[in-house]
Every structure is written in structure tokens, then in C-alpha cells.
Amino acid sequence: MKYKSQQVAYWFFALCMLLFALQIVYGFIMGFARIGMDGLHDWIPFNTARAVHTNLLVVWLLSGFMGAAYYIIPEEAQRELVSVKWAYVQLISLALVGVLAITGYHFNIWEGRKFLEIPRELDYLVVINVLLFLGIILTTLYKGKRRTTTALVLTMGLVFAALLYLPGMIWFDSQVTDSFFRWWVVHLWVEGVWELIMGGILAFLLIKLTGVDREVIEKWLYVIVGLTFLSGILGTGHHYYYIGVNKIWLIVGGVFSALEPLAFLAMALFAVYMYRKGERNHPNKIALFWTIGSAIVSFVGAGLLGFAHTLPQVNLYTHGTLITAMHGHYAFWGAYVMIVLAIISYAMPNMTGRKRHDKTNGHLAFWLSNIGMLGMVVAMGVAGVVQVYLERRLSMDFMVAQEEVKIHFVVMLLNASLFATGIGLYIYEFIKYGRPTDEALEMKKEEEPALVH
Amino acid sequence: MLSKSQARTFFFGGTVVTFLIFIGLTIYSLAPGNDQTNHLAITDDVIKGKHLWETNNCMGCHSILGEGGYYAPELTKVIDRRGAPLIKAILQSPVPWAPNGRKMVAYEMPEEEAAAMVAYLEWIGKIDLNGFDRIVSPLAKDKQ
């Protein structure tokens, strides 16, 4: 760690750990409800658990992206953040918005629009929070000694994410128009600008971990994010096939969303190639595992599993089924959760000065969470295929088909336990690292060359 | 071999072109001439129903137009399938509706709110969904 202000990232990462743990708890509540064990229904009905589960994911990922930006931007711009005090204000306000929103969900206070359940009043707080964050980042970059492509791509992703939140705040009388513009937020975030953020973090980590020349990595970063937007923007059409808008989206969405895996394939090849090309043998292997793992799993989860049901002819049957849940879990896990865990794994030894990066617990956390998530995704996938067949080919009633797929949720819960154990170990390691120290600043100058063998 | 400036041009150029096409297609598909939703039939009751749908987060369990929680039935054609009286009864019930043991929140809606929900679901049921409503068998009345 070169700059003291980078330490602020630690608290954003700590918020990530807290909210991630809570997200898993609500995931279990949903999983048990699906197998008929809904004893908490009177206090936490399924719609509350679901809103909390998905919104916690969004808030903690945003917290992770913001923490990553606070860690990366000073190194890229070669200067301290312009204001650490305002960064802490921003952190507290982010946590406050999250807590208020999630508490409200337990008292029927929400907007009830999938993924955008935060009530409109809190949306304004989100806007203020994000403006404050962007103000700090952009001013730091403006005053910085250096402007790199990595910082540019990461910042563009964060700025576009903020702008794209706005269409989701407009009221529409029509459910169809509402849904149309809701996807401007949700799709263009997760299959668009968030990939810029992921690409920026990935490029930073590859430069640090592999030692490959920055110019080479940043050139390919442009190609990857170029492919992302080229396919992802018009790929939004795959959400418009069957919601009551023109048939033209069947063609446009079909063609461009079929191209979307290319960006993820390029990202996976890019990461693996840079790793092989790299001459540096960085001791933080666990950060490398999460980094390369993120690029590969995002290709499978977001790319391949997305492609599996994106063509209109297939989506006609899978639209609105558990197939979507299956794809969603592996895509978010690979593309965004793993990259946030990668930057945390990379930053923690540097911020705290403690070399715990080769501990068995860290490796166990990686493998158990990945095996657990893969098992969950397979179980959900099987449930989805059975649901499609029974409900949409054999015309069974929804609830009858749900009874038939219960057993797959038992399997999913078993795998979720494995996953939770892995994440528990990751959080345990995070806690064991302790807080950032100023000694780590000195260590960076004197000892970092020794880290590179 | 591709240079960094060529890669940058590919990124910025591709982004601008595809975004402009996207805006154009958005204007085209939302133009009144291409309306598939019978937009003019949206009454105050339908709007009130949509508001109730959102403020109770019905989408957290049910799905509509194929979007939602996948925990409770798709409601796009529910009026055709189950009839307005049953829907109103469920919404007004003081006891949780629990088909096959899976519980719904007991909303105990007053008459006017239940009527607004029915108006909203009736409007939804008439939208042209490019074949989704007919292929997905439990949604289509004529396939039951």
C-alpha cells in the first residue's frame, strides 16, 4: 500500500463481509421456504426474504466496487484521495441507506419492482451518496499525476452505473413501459457497465499479480469492454421478447445477446494468457486464484449459461422459470462476487501488513465456496428444466410442478451449506487480518520488492 | 497487430453506434403505432392496481409478464384462469391463502383495492406478448 488514504477501502470491504453474511442467511430462509419449512412466514415472508437477499447483494457489491475504487484510484493517479473524511461520510450514508431499506422491507415499505425495491424516497439518498463518491474519485483523478486506462475504464463504469440508475426512478402508469425502463437499470448495469468495473479491477489485479506490461493489458482491456458494450447494449432486447413490446426485439435481442458470451470468453482468455505470460511469481496466490477464477467462472455463468436460454425460441419456454435463477446465481458469483473477493484478497495483506495470504483457510474458502455454488447452480438448473417440462410442456399447474421440484431444493440447500462454510472461512480470514496499520505503508516501500520472487 | 489507439477507437466507436441504435429502437418500439398493450385502456383503477402491486411487492413471490420471484404462480392470465371473484376473495381474505401448503400474505384488502387489483390484472391479461401467453400452457385459458 502506497497511500494512507487507501485504508478507507478496508471499511467498505468490512461492510461487504457483514452484508454478504446476512445475504446468505436470507438465502437459507428462501431455500427452506421452498421445501415447505416456512416457520418464519409471519415475520419474514418469501417476498421480504427475496428483496433482502437480492438488495443486500447489490449494496454489498456496490460497497465492494467503491472500496476497490478507493484502493485502486490513489495508486493509479499516484496521489492520496482528495478527502478521506468525506469518504467515511459516504460509507456511513451507504450503510444507512442499506439498513433503512432492508428494515423497511420487513414492514411492507418498498417499491416492489424486481431488484429495485428501494422506496423512491431512499432513491434520492442513493443519488446523493453516489454523487459524493464520484466527486471524491473524479477529483482525485483530476488532480492526479497520472491518468491510466485502468482508472478510466473503472471510473467510466462507476459514472455510467450512476447515470443508469436514473431511468429506474421514473414513474410509469404502464407495467410494460415500467418493465422496459427497469431493464435499462438492471440489464445495462449487470451486462454492461458493471463489466467495465469488473474489467478495470481485473486489469489492475493482473498488472499487479502477473507483472505483464501495463500497455499490453490495457490494450486488451479496451477490446474486452468494447465487446461488452457492442453486444450488451442491444442484448438488452432479450428482456423485451415477451413483455408486451414490438417483435423487432426478438431479432435484435436474439442476435446481440448471442454475442454476449464473446466478451466473457475474451476476458477468460485474457486473464489466463496474461497469467501464463507473466514473469512475476507473486506470493499472494489466493488473490490470483480469485482473479483467474472470476474470469473463468464469469464466462461459464454469465456467458455460457446465459446463452443457454437467451435465444427467443428457447426463452419462450424458460422465461419466468428457475432457469433464470440458476443463470443469475452463477453469473453474479463469477463476474462480480469473485472479483470483489479477489481485490479484497489482494488488498488485505497490503493494508494490514500481515502475510496471511497463503493460509490453508484461504484456499479452503476458495474451493468450498466454488464447489458449493456449482452444486447449487446444478440443483437449480435441474429444478428449472423439470419445471419447464412439467409446467410448460405437460401443462401441469404451477404449484403441482413446484411440489415435484422440491427435492432439488434439498440438494441445493446441502450445497448452500458447503458454500456458506467457504464464505464463513473467508470472513474468518478477513477478521484475522485485523485492521490496516500505518506500518504497512513503510513496509510497502521497503519490503514489496522482496514479495516478488 | 492491433494498437492501443485502435482498441480505444473500437471501444468508443462501438459503444456510441450501438447506443444510438438502441435509442432508435426504443423510440420505435414505444411509438403509439406499435403499441401492443392497449395503452389507452389504462384507467385510474389500473394505475391504482399497479401501485398496489408495487407497494405490496407481489412480484417478490409471483411473476407477471414472466418477471418475478418464481415462488408463486404467474399472474399474467390469472383472471382468465381463475376468474375475478376468486382473485378478489383471496386478496380480501383475513387468513393466508395456502395452496399446497405454500403461504401467501393475508392482505385483507378493502373492496375498492381488490377491485383495482382485478382491473390491473384484467388489463395485463389483454397484452399481446408475442406468443408467450399462448405457448405457456397454464396461462392460456384455451389450453386448460
Side-chain angles (χ1 to χ4, degrees), chain A residues 114 172 175 179 182-183 319, chain B residues 50 65 67 70 120 130:
Chain A
K114 194 176 173 184
F172 294 102
Q175 180 71 40
S179 194
R182 191 170 53 80
W183 287 117
H319 180 50
Chain B
K50 177 177 180 277
L65 311 177
E67 297 174 350
Y70 324 132
Y120 165 74
N130 295 338

Side-chain angles (χ1 to χ4, degrees), chain A residues 4 24 30 35 41 53 76 95 97 128 202 206 212 223 230 264 288 309 342 386 413 428 433 435 447:
Chain A
K4 184 171 167 56
I24 292 172
M30 292 163 71
I35 60 169
H41 173 82
H53 182 69
E76 292 294 297
V97 170
I128 293 168
L202 185 66
L206 288 173
V212 173
V223 174
L230 200 66
F264 287 103
L288 197 64
H309 68 125
V386 173
L413 281 165
Y428 172 78
Y433 264 112
R435 294 185 188 175
E447 293 179 26

Side-chain angles (χ1 to χ4, degrees), chain A residues 268-383:
Chain A
L269 292 175
F270 163 73
V272 172
Y273 180 69
M274 292 304 155
Y275 167 64
R276 292 170 68 104
K277 186 181 163 76
E279 292 163 358
R280 184 178 291 180
N281 185 14
H282 201 283
N284 193 344
K285 290 281 177 291
I286 200 66
L288 197 64
F289 270 51
W290 285 109
T291 304
I292 306 294
S294 170
I296 293 171
V297 176
S298 66
F299 168 60
V300 178
L304 289 183
L305 294 182
F307 180 75
H309 68 125
T310 201
L311 296 178
Q313 298 88 333
V314 178
N315 197 251
L316 185 60
Y317 293 95
T318 59
H319 180 50
T321 67
L322 293 162
I323 294 286
T324 311
M326 171 273 295
H327 159 56
H329 275 79
Y330 215 40
F332 269 98
W333 169 248
Y336 304 121
V337 176
M338 287 182 76
I339 200 70
V340 170
L341 298 185
I343 186 73
I344 295 175
S345 298
Y346 172 76
M348 286 304 283
N350 297 341
M351 287 195 292
T352 62
R354 297 180 190 93
K355 305 283 172 287
R356 297 183 58 84
H357 42 61
D358 211 21
K359 293 277 178 189
T360 310
N361 279 344
H363 289 274
L364 267 176
F366 177 85
W367 288 110
L368 286 179
S369 57
N370 267 289
I371 293 167
M373 177 53 78
L374 184 62
M376 285 165 65
V377 167
V378 170
M380 268 187 279
V382 174

Side-chain angles (χ1 to χ4, degrees), chain A residues 155-452:
Chain A
T155 310
M156 274 179 72
L158 294 163
V159 171
F160 287 161
L163 287 175
L164 283 167
Y165 191 70
L166 302 178
M169 292 172 63
I170 306 168
W171 165 268
F172 294 102
D173 290 342
S174 164
Q175 180 71 40
V176 173
T177 320
D178 193 297
S179 194
F180 191 94
F181 285 104
R182 191 170 53 80
W183 287 117
W184 275 42
V185 187
V186 180
H187 173 91
L188 290 175
W189 265 19
V190 301
E191 290 171 69
V193 297
W194 279 22
E195 284 183 51
L196 261 66
I197 299 169
M198 181 201 175
I201 299 173
L202 185 66
F204 174 81
L205 286 168
L206 288 173
I207 289 167
K208 297 289 178 184
L209 295 170
T210 67
V212 173
D213 183 53
R214 174 183 286 275
E215 284 298 298
V216 176
I217 287 185
E218 291 185 337
K219 176 177 77 176
W220 290 108
L221 177 62
Y222 270 134
V223 174
I224 288 164
V225 292
L227 282 172
T228 297
F229 274 172
L230 200 66
S231 58
I233 293 173
L234 290 169
T236 314
H238 65 229
H239 296 289
Y240 298 159
Y241 294 159
Y242 307 117
I243 66 164
V245 288
N246 196 273
K247 283 190 175 66
I248 195 161
W249 292 108
L250 296 173
I251 300 164
V252 175
V255 170
F256 283 89
S257 62
L259 296 174
E260 279 188 56
L262 283 181
F264 287 103
L265 176 64
M267 209 175 298
L269 292 175
F270 163 73
V272 172
Y273 180 69
M274 292 304 155
Y275 167 64
R276 292 170 68 104
K277 186 181 163 76
E279 292 163 358
R280 184 178 291 180
N281 185 14
H282 201 283
N284 193 344
K285 290 281 177 291
I286 200 66
L288 197 64
F289 270 51
W290 285 109
T291 304
I292 306 294
S294 170
I296 293 171
V297 176
S298 66
F299 168 60
V300 178
L304 289 183
L305 294 182
F307 180 75
H309 68 125
T310 201
L311 296 178
Q313 298 88 333
V314 178
N315 197 251
L316 185 60
Y317 293 95
T318 59
H319 180 50
T321 67
L322 293 162
I323 294 286
T324 311
M326 171 273 295
H327 159 56
H329 275 79
Y330 215 40
F332 269 98
W333 169 248
Y336 304 121
V337 176
M338 287 182 76
I339 200 70
V340 170
L341 298 185
I343 186 73
I344 295 175
S345 298
Y346 172 76
M348 286 304 283
N350 297 341
M351 287 195 292
T352 62
R354 297 180 190 93
K355 305 283 172 287
R356 297 183 58 84
H357 42 61
D358 211 21
K359 293 277 178 189
T360 310
N361 279 344
H363 289 274
L364 267 176
F366 177 85
W367 288 110
L368 286 179
S369 57
N370 267 289
I371 293 167
M373 177 53 78
L374 184 62
M376 285 165 65
V377 167
V378 170
M380 268 187 279
V382 174
V385 171
V386 173
Q387 182 193 7
V388 167
Y389 192 74
L390 296 182
E391 195 187 315
R392 299 188 167 180
R393 297 294 292 184
L394 299 184
S395 302
M396 275 190 188
D397 182 71
F398 176 90
M399 285 310 304
V400 176
Q402 288 294 306
E403 275 296 306
E404 297 298 322
V405 301
K406 254 186 188 174
I407 184 65
H408 304 299
F409 282 96
V410 175
V411 177
M412 193 200 77
L413 281 165
L414 289 172
N415 283 289
S417 305
L418 205 60
F419 174 77
T421 308
I423 297 305
L425 283 171
Y426 189 97
I427 295 170
Y428 172 78
E429 275 300 305
F430 181 88
I431 294 166
K432 291 294 281 183
Y433 264 112
R435 294 185 188 175
T437 57
D438 288 345
E439 288 78 31
L441 282 167
E442 299 305 316
M443 189 210 79
K444 180 71 188 179
K445 287 174 196 150
E446 293 163 13
E447 293 179 26
E448 195 180 22
L451 288 174
V452 182

Side-chain angles (χ1 to χ4, degrees), chain B residues 1 6 12 23 29-30 32 37 41 46-48 58 63 70-71 81 85 98 102 112 120 130 144:
Chain B
M1 190 64 180
Q6 286 171 325
F12 285 111
I23 296 291
S29 60
L30 295 181
T37 67
V46 173
I47 295 168
K48 186 177 175 184
C58 305
S63 52
Y70 324 132
Y71 183 72
R81 208 165 72 239
R102 192 172 278 187
E112 69 273 19
Y120 165 74
N130 295 338
Q144 290 215 330

Side-chain angles (χ1 to χ4, degrees), chain A residues 112-114 175-176 178-179 182-183 239 242-244 319-320 392, chain B residues 49-50 53-54 58-79 117-125 127 129 132 139:
Chain A
R113 297 155 77 229
K114 194 176 173 184
Q175 180 71 40
V176 173
D178 193 297
S179 194
R182 191 170 53 80
W183 287 117
H239 296 289
Y242 307 117
I243 66 164
H319 180 50
R392 299 188 167 180
Chain B
K50 177 177 180 277
W53 172 265
E54 290 179 358
C58 305
M59 207 184 238
C61 296
H62 291 280
S63 52
I64 203 150
L65 311 177
E67 297 174 350
Y70 324 132
Y71 183 72
E74 161 72 52
L75 297 181
T76 301
K77 289 278 183 184
V78 72
I79 302 292
M117 283 300 299
V118 166
Y120 165 74
L121 292 168
E122 278 176 341
W123 175 77
I124 288 278
I127 295 172
L129 296 177
F132 180 65
L139 306 182

